[in-house]
Amino acid sequence: MPVIRWNDPFRDLATLQDRLNRAFDSTLSRSGQQEELFTGTWAPPVDIFETKEKTVLKAELPGFDENQITLRFEDGILSLEGERKFEKASDDENYHRV
């Protein structure tokens, strides 16, 4: 009966972990989500369509008034910007993220 060498099981687990880490790293960096997790970037749902007379942008922006939004089109890039201030602080509530 031939002798079969058993590979180091911990090395096999480390190899598997490296492969999984590379798979998740490439997936997150490809979609841009990794940066968003750290910077807090948020992209609201937006519909953009054209009619015969105009281009229409509809965005879901809860908690915003129209005067709090800035819409720009420069160098072929459409930007929708706004900032919502935290208005109410209460001693009874501990907010972790707003």
Side-chain angles (χ1 to χ4, degrees), residues 19-34:
R19 286 182 184 172
L20 286 171
N21 287 341
R22 276 188 265 128
F24 283 110
D25 286 343
S26 65
T27 302
L28 286 175
S29 63
R30 217 182 5 240
S31 65
Q33 293 175 357
Q34 188 174 27

Side-chain angles (χ1 to χ4, degrees), residues 24-92:
F24 283 110
D25 286 343
S26 65
T27 302
L28 286 175
S29 63
R30 217 182 5 240
S31 65
Q33 293 175 357
Q34 188 174 27
E35 181 180 332
E36 292 176 7
L37 290 174
F38 298 113
T39 62
T41 303
W42 176 64
V46 176
D47 293 332
I48 303 171
F49 59 92
E50 293 183 44
T51 65
K52 290 182 181 180
E53 299 86 30
K54 58 188 171 184
T55 300
V56 179
L57 182 136
K58 290 185 178 184
E60 293 182 24
L61 301 168
F64 283 93
D65 292 326
E66 190 173 329
N67 60 355
Q68 294 176 301
I69 306 298
T70 304
L71 184 64
R72 286 193 323 243
F73 185 74
E74 296 175 352
D75 299 326
I77 299 173
L78 180 65
S79 300
L80 178 66
E81 297 177 356
E83 182 178 353
R84 187 176 66 181
K85 303 284 186 189
F86 185 67
E87 298 174 0
K88 180 175 131 179
S90 172
D91 294 334
D92 297 336

